[in-house]
């Protein structure tokens, strides 16, 4: 029986726009204060909300009333914005 020809496949190279880029100066890792600040804000926001609920609105700042919820959730939202800058 005759032997079939061996077909050689061409080596695939991805198009230039799909190739991984070389690291630029903008692709450097973020400074250590970014995750530290984000974690601190998460802890502060949760502590603020928990203390508000456990003391039935008398602590952290009684005069703010329901704005204490805004302060606690605001800390959590700001931590999300800081985490979006983390590389």
């Amino acid at each position: 029986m005759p032997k079939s020809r061996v077909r050689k496949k061409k080596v695939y190279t991805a198009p230039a726009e799909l190739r991984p880029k070389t690291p630029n100066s903008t692709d450097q890792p973020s400074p250590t204060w970014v995750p530290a600040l984000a974690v601190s804000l998460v802890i502060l926001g949760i502590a603020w909300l928990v203390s508000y609920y456990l003391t039935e609105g008398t602590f952290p700042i009684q005069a703010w009333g329901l704005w204490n919820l805004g302060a606690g959730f605001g800390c959590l939202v700001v931590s999300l914005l800081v985490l979006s800058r983390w590389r």
Side-chain angles (χ1 to χ4, degrees):
M1 172 159 254
K3 188 176 180 182
S4 62
R5 287 190 283 156
V6 177
R7 293 182 228 163
K8 293 186 178 184
K9 292 183 178 182
K10 294 181 181 179
V11 177
Y12 175 75
T13 54
E17 57 269 358
L18 296 180
R19 290 185 199 143
K21 297 177 183 176
T22 58
N24 294 337
S25 62
T26 60
D27 293 340
Q28 294 177 353
S30 54
T32 55
W33 62 266
V34 172
L37 176 65
V39 169
S40 300
L41 285 171
V42 167
I43 291 171
L44 176 69
I46 291 173
W48 193 290
L49 292 172
V50 167
S51 65
Y52 177 72
Y53 277 115
L54 289 180
T55 61
E56 297 176 356
T58 58
F59 186 75
I61 301 175
Q62 186 175 7
W64 284 8
L66 290 177
W67 283 104
N68 282 305
L69 295 175
F73 284 116
C75 288
L76 295 175
V77 168
V78 171
S79 72
L80 289 175
L81 294 175
V82 170
L83 282 174
S84 69
R85 303 296 300 163
W86 190 18
R87 295 179 200 199

